[in-house]
Amino acid sequence: MSGQPPGSAGTSAARSTTNGAVNGAIAMSASSRPSDSGVGASGGGGNQGQNMSQQNLNQIVIEYLSKKGYNRTEAMLRNESATQDAEGRPLASRVEDGGGSKYGKGFELTRVWIEGNLDIYKPELRRLLWPLFVYSFLNVVSEYYIQEAGNFFNAFKAYFEDEHPDDLRQLQPIALPEHVTDSEIAKIYRGNKYRVRLSTVAFFNLIQFLESNDKVGGSVMVMILQTHMNIVTVERAADESHSLARMLGRAKEAEDFPAEDEGIPGHNAGSANIDRHTTTNILTRLKLGPLPMEQELLEDIQAELEEEDTKHPPAEGQRSLVQEFERHIKREESEDAPVRTDIPLPPSKVRDVALEVQKVKENRDRFKIEGRTGGVGPAVSVVMFTFHNTYEGINCIDVSGDNLLIAAGMADHYIQVWSLKGDALESAFPNVPPEGSRKLIGHSGPVYAVSFSPGIAGPTEASSGYSQIPSTNPQYLLSCSMDKTIRLWDLEMWTCLVVYKGHDGPVWDIQWGPYGHYFLTGSRDRTARLWSQDQIVYLRLFAGHEQDVDCVAFHPNSAYVFTGSSDKNVRMWQVTNGVPVRLFTGHTGNVTSLACSPSGKILASADDQGTIILWDLGPGKLLKRMRGHARGGIWSLSWSAESSVIVSGGMDGTVRVWDVTEPGNAAGQGKVIGEGGAGTKIDGGASAAQGSAAAGSKKKGKETVVTPDQISAFPTKKSPVYKVKFTRMNLVVASGVYAP
């Protein structure tokens, strides 16, 4: 039979012969049973003989087939017998048949392979380990392997404690299938596919390795990839982020970060799309242009500028104020700009005209920041105001838009305001003498944020030629507190005008809108709320974050707001309807500060891990990461007037200046002291050399990797920087507290 040629006839003959051989073996076995049963006198002896015949049954049949010349049938039976034990049960020859331990073996197999891979592929392949860990753990629990689930979690959790501490904390109590059904974190992961972007070469190498090791755990990992993950493969030529140069740059990085489109949308790292259940990336079209002016206000401003040009003609080679206004300020309505009727504002007043005229003057006369030249950044000047002997009593600081006042929110439930010029502060009340500072008392809990209303330094009567000039200084101060309230303070009478209530927890942050009138708050109740100055009830409720809303910011056209949270996400909301339009994820720590560029195109967000991320608002994409601050929190960000430079300050006691236009993958790394130093300025062009020298001369403090985007670093003398702000003249005002 074995010599027959292949074909249908041969196949049928083989089948009939096999059936005959098996039938013969069964008949032989049945005929031998009487003699077997007769061995021994007791019932126990009969059972022993029966067990012996079961153990040798396969061998007897194989010998019979060999004698009869049924070679092919004999080989088939030998292969099947090799996967059975003495009782005829199948052996666990594959790891998939080995109970709960199969996931641990498969995960360790994959992890070891990734860590031994080429350096250019290792960063992107490492992004697979977290979802493989989560889904493997949930599967082990769901299959009721309680002990194996605990062993698996404890064996591998250390690899993810830095990047995913919150999720690990929520996953750890899961021990029974019922927990998987009830747990919110398990529902998120099991109900959605985890998205990971891989280069084509890395993906094919991974699949080839897992398939070649399918019997030792590879097929388990393939099952997870197919069932629970959405692997998006990209060609190097089609995606710049996976080009060879960019991959080599990532291989040299000291830390690995998730991509902006990685993970589950709406949870940790994920797409800018706000819908978790969609695989597309269709985004709402944004109107990022400036808000059009009222026609009457526009005409009044132009008339004032013409009169100003007549009284004070521009210098030779300098543009007139009217030309500057036409070039930078005046805008026609376009599709890229919001409609003014969508954002109702009070009718303009004489003060509004004076504000806009002064903005045009400062825009023309400001210090121009043209960007880097020959690798050296612009010479940005910083003035630092430091509070001493505070005994950890100051929670927050803000500087007014006219740079004349500074306010501090205290842990002792009050706000104190000083003049930066050292002048006494007068009161509009009669018979109230001027004071060196004003104390605003009203809150019943620590004050966490203060914010001056929009203002600008106006001209003096002598310089303007007018006898009466409308004040352009800030009129109001907002404060928020642990007592869940927001208070509006009058800066002329130094009294509280309104108490706003609505939040169900401490209010962490508060910001005025760019045109005044509206303001935004963020709270521990996981919501942000939009308020108007003339209404005691909030206008919009922005809900969607999974943890506290720690920081808030307005878009320059006031049509959108931004919220940053402890859930490591940044959300962008539309003011007109309260709908989220963008979700930015990729931070590895709590988001601590937000700032939108004056151009309205880019958002900067910072976290407590010392990282600043720039986002392109239109496509919702990450532009680049900038690092230099030590861990502890970046508490304040501010943009230059040209939207080309950012200044930051934080817990590490440094003020740092960053180049926005520098490519994110530029070569070169520098190192500086993470702790506040002795006040020595570090320029971007020499950051590597000076930073390394500083690190060698002073061993205190942890060295922190600095990206080439940094232009300058200004260490303070043990003073965490609470607030930094670019003035309209492109000078930087910083403030902090001396904390020896």
Side-chain angles (χ1 to χ4, degrees):
M1 180 186 69
S2 60
Q4 293 179 355
S8 58
T11 303
S12 61
R15 289 176 180 172
S16 62
T17 305
T18 302
N19 293 336
V22 173
N23 291 335
I26 294 174
M28 182 190 69
S29 175
S31 64
S32 64
R33 285 177 184 172
S35 60
D36 291 338
S37 61
V39 177
S42 65
N47 292 335
Q48 182 179 4
Q50 186 176 359
N51 291 338
M52 291 295 294
S53 64
Q54 290 177 355
Q55 293 176 359
N56 297 327
L57 178 59
N58 287 342
Q59 186 62 33
I60 294 173
V61 175
I62 289 172
E63 291 177 358
Y64 172 78
L65 295 175
S66 178
K67 290 179 181 179
K68 293 294 184 179
Y70 301 139
N71 298 329
R72 183 176 298 179
T73 307
E74 176 192 352
M76 293 172 59
L77 185 56
R78 285 184 184 276
N79 289 336
E80 294 180 2
S81 301
T83 60
Q84 295 178 353
D85 60 8
E87 301 297 328
R89 292 187 296 267
L91 293 171
S93 60
R94 299 187 309 163
V95 70
E96 286 79 350
D97 303 322
S101 60
K102 60 188 177 184
Y103 291 100
K105 296 176 181 177
F107 181 83
E108 179 64 11
L109 172 78
T110 308
R111 189 193 68 81
V112 171
W113 179 78
I114 289 175
E115 293 301 328
N117 216 296
L118 295 176
D119 288 343
I120 61 172
Y121 299 121
K122 194 181 298 184
E124 57 179 321
L125 288 171
R126 281 174 175 166
R127 308 310 310 170
L128 294 169
L129 293 178
W130 169 249
L132 289 176
F133 169 80
V134 173
Y135 290 116
S136 296
F137 172 69
L138 295 177
N139 286 351
V140 175
V141 177
S142 299
E143 295 173 13
Y144 225 103
Y145 295 108
I146 309 302
Q147 184 175 355
E148 288 86 345
N151 295 338
F152 177 88
F153 189 88
N154 294 327
F156 301 112
K157 68 177 182 179
Y159 297 112
F160 312 104
E161 288 178 343
D162 291 338
E163 187 173 335
H164 302 279
D166 297 330
D167 284 3
L168 285 173
R169 197 177 302 113
Q170 296 179 64
L171 288 169
Q172 190 163 13
I174 298 177
L176 297 172
E178 293 81 4
H179 299 166
V180 177
T181 305
D182 298 336
S183 171
E184 290 297 326
I185 189 70
K187 290 178 182 178
I188 291 174
Y189 278 97
R190 302 267 286 193
N192 300 276
K193 286 195 172 184
Y194 196 100
R195 177 188 174 100
V196 175
R197 185 185 293 264
L198 291 178
S199 62
T200 305
V201 176
F203 176 72
F204 286 155
N205 288 342
L206 171 69
I207 297 301
Q208 184 178 11
F209 169 77
L210 294 178
E211 289 182 346
S212 64
N213 292 272
D214 62 331
K215 292 186 178 181
V216 289
S219 58
V220 177
M221 297 296 103
V222 171
M223 180 270 294
I224 293 178
L225 294 176
Q226 293 175 339
T227 308
H228 299 292
M229 297 182 65
N230 177 21
I231 307 295
V232 180
T233 58
V234 293
E235 298 288 345
R236 287 181 185 172
D239 191 339
E240 184 183 352
S241 64
H242 284 78
S243 65
L244 182 60
R246 186 66 63 87
M247 294 170 70
L248 288 172
R250 280 199 299 265
K252 296 178 181 178
E253 292 286 340
E255 299 179 55
D256 185 28
F257 294 100
E260 75 276 6
D261 59 349
E262 177 185 322
I264 298 172
H267 181 77
N268 288 339
S271 169
N273 199 315
I274 60 174
D275 187 359
R276 279 182 182 160
H277 304 288
T278 183
T279 57
T280 61
N281 197 24
I282 302 174
L283 300 177
T284 304
R285 182 177 179 180
L286 303 179
K287 296 183 178 181
L288 303 177
L291 186 68
M293 287 186 179
E294 294 178 0
Q295 186 61 33
E296 184 178 355
L297 177 61
L298 194 67
E299 294 172 355
D300 291 341
I301 294 172
Q302 195 152 8
E304 288 291 330
L305 293 175
E306 290 174 355
E307 188 174 354
E308 193 71 25
D309 282 334
T310 303
K311 292 185 177 182
H312 305 282
E316 185 177 353
Q318 187 181 41
R319 283 188 295 267
S320 67
L321 294 176
V322 174
Q323 291 173 339
E324 185 71 23
F325 179 65
E326 294 286 347
R327 185 169 181 262
H328 290 287
I329 307 299
K330 185 178 178 181
R331 297 287 190 275
E332 299 295 337
E333 290 191 18
S334 65
E335 294 183 359
D336 189 44
V339 181
R340 190 170 182 86
T341 55
D342 291 342
I343 308 169
L345 292 170
S348 58
K349 302 178 182 179
V350 177
R351 180 178 183 272
D352 298 318
V353 177
L355 274 170
E356 295 300 328
V357 169
Q358 192 63 22
K359 287 179 182 178
V360 175
K361 291 180 181 180
E362 293 194 354
N363 191 66
R364 183 191 66 177
D365 301 335
R366 74 177 188 272
F367 170 70
K368 304 295 190 300
I369 298 180
E370 303 296 343
R372 287 194 170 191
T373 56
V376 179
V380 177
S381 298
V382 180
V383 57
M384 178 79 180
F385 294 93
T386 305
F387 289 87
H388 290 263
N389 303 320
T390 61
Y391 305 105
E392 300 182 354
I394 293 182
N395 291 335
C396 56
I397 298 173
D398 192 29
V399 178
S400 62
D402 60 0
N403 304 311
L404 296 178
L405 299 176
I406 187 168
M410 305 295 185
D412 291 336
H413 312 175
Y414 66 91
I415 304 109
Q416 195 151 359
V417 184
W418 293 267
S419 169
L420 290 177
K421 297 173 66 177
D423 298 337
L425 301 178
E426 298 182 354
S427 173
F429 282 118
N431 302 323
V432 176
E435 298 181 9
S437 66
R438 294 286 180 177
K439 186 177 291 188
L440 307 178
I441 301 175
H443 284 292
S444 59
V447 179
Y448 292 129
V450 290
S451 179
F452 283 100
S453 62
I456 192 169
T460 62
E461 295 181 4
S463 63
S464 65
Y466 295 99
S467 59
Q468 291 185 349
I469 304 174
S471 174
T472 58
N473 299 327
Q475 296 176 310
Y476 306 105
L477 177 71
L478 284 168
S479 61
C480 60
S481 168
M482 188 177 182
D483 62 11
K484 309 178 186 179
T485 67
I486 303 105
R487 288 179 177 263
L488 179 69
W489 306 86
D490 187 283
L491 296 181
E492 292 182 351
M493 298 181 292
W494 306 103
T495 58
C496 181
L497 300 179
V498 188
V499 179
Y500 303 93
K501 298 181 180 180
H503 280 291
D504 193 27
V507 185
W508 300 129
D509 196 18
I510 189 166
Q511 289 291 330
W512 278 100
Y515 303 100
H517 190 66
Y518 297 106
F519 59 92
L520 184 66
T521 56
S523 170
R524 194 175 70 180
D525 62 10
R526 305 181 183 181
T527 69
R529 305 184 191 222
L530 180 73
W531 311 73
S532 76
Q533 178 182 323
D534 57 354
Q535 296 188 36
I536 198 169
V537 180
Y538 59 86
L539 305 178
R540 292 286 185 271
L541 174 68
F542 306 109
H545 284 288
E546 297 176 357
Q547 295 186 33
D548 300 22
V549 178
D550 296 321
C551 52
V552 295
F554 270 90
H555 189 273
N557 65 15
S558 201
Y560 304 98
V561 295
F562 305 94
T563 55
S565 170
S566 300
D567 63 10
K568 306 176 185 177
N569 295 334
V570 177
R571 291 176 181 262
M572 181 179 183
W573 311 80
Q574 191 166 341
V575 168
T576 54
N577 53 19
V579 173
V581 292
R582 292 290 186 273
L583 170 65
F584 302 106
T585 62
H587 280 287
T588 58
N590 303 332
V591 182
T592 54
S593 184
L594 298 170
C596 188
S597 65
S599 66
K601 306 295 184 183
I602 303 175
L603 175 71
S605 59
D607 60 32
D608 59 4
Q609 301 298 305
T611 301
I612 301 171
I613 300 181
L614 300 183
W615 310 93
D616 190 345
L617 296 180
K621 293 293 184 181
L622 182 149
L623 291 177
K624 63 175 177 178
R625 299 175 187 269
M626 302 185 297
R627 288 175 292 162
H629 282 280
R631 295 188 179 184
I634 299 173
W635 294 341
S636 185
L637 297 169
S638 183
W639 289 80
S640 66
E642 297 86 357
S643 300
S644 60
V645 172
I646 294 177
V647 63
S648 62
M651 177 68 181
D652 64 354
T654 63
V655 176
R656 297 177 185 266
V657 184
W658 308 89
D659 188 356
V660 174
T661 58
E662 181 75 10
N665 60 342
Q669 296 286 343
K671 292 184 181 297
V672 298
I673 301 298
E675 186 181 351
T680 303
K681 177 175 175 288
I682 302 175
D683 290 323
S687 60
Q690 293 187 17
S692 298
S697 62
K698 186 170 183 177
K699 297 300 182 181
K700 295 182 181 179
K702 184 180 178 181
E703 288 187 352
T704 304
V705 175
V706 180
T707 56
D709 318 89
Q710 179 176 295
I711 297 173
S712 302
F714 299 88
T716 64
K717 295 183 178 180
K718 304 290 185 180
S719 300
V721 181
Y722 282 36
K723 185 74 175 181
V724 292
K725 189 190 73 169
F726 261 110
T727 68
R728 293 186 180 274
M729 301 295 287
N730 272 341
L731 304 176
V732 177
V733 177
S735 54
V737 174
Y738 181 63

